[in-house]
Amino acid sequence: MKSQTSSQRAEKQPYIPPANQHGTVASSHKSASRLRASIEDLHECIAVRAYELYAQRGWREGGALKDWVDAEREILHRNVSSQALAKPPRDMES
């Protein structure tokens, strides 16, 4: 019987991701799922707003990209503005 090298033995062991900055792998999975959910929510908000812009243009074809970009700009600007309002200025933090 042929003996296994250390690299062959290592291949058979399951991959265990390293702990993230917060110390646990579980928290990195939670962060990733929260990020995925927020990206999906963002995508849905942009899609809804783009459809509203399409309706405002009278349902005319040919402006889908412009509607999407305009909706994206509005939604992202709104999110950045609301985050800025939620945080106190750095000089006021204690």
Side-chain angles (χ1 to χ4, degrees):
M1 181 178 222
K2 193 175 180 182
S3 65
Q4 293 180 336
T5 64
S6 61
S7 63
Q8 289 172 326
R9 271 182 257 129
E11 289 175 11
K12 293 184 178 184
Q13 295 178 359
Y15 173 73
I16 300 172
N20 67 0
Q21 295 175 358
H22 302 293
T24 65
V25 174
S27 67
S28 68
H29 289 296
K30 288 179 184 175
S31 296
S33 69
R34 264 189 263 129
L35 177 61
R36 193 175 309 111
S38 67
I39 290 172
E40 290 170 358
D41 291 344
L42 179 63
H43 185 271
E44 184 176 344
C45 288
I46 293 168
V48 167
R49 181 62 185 136
Y51 186 79
E52 291 171 352
L53 293 173
Y54 170 63
Q56 288 174 1
R57 286 188 309 103
W59 312 100
R60 289 189 316 269
E61 297 292 324
L65 180 60
K66 183 179 181 334
D67 291 341
W68 185 270
V69 171
D70 289 345
E72 192 174 63
R73 186 179 305 114
E74 286 179 26
I75 299 296
L76 293 176
H77 184 293
R78 187 181 322 152
N79 285 349
V80 169
S81 296
S82 66
Q83 287 175 359
L85 291 174
K87 293 181 182 179
R90 287 188 178 174
D91 58 346
M92 296 183 74
E93 291 178 348
S94 24

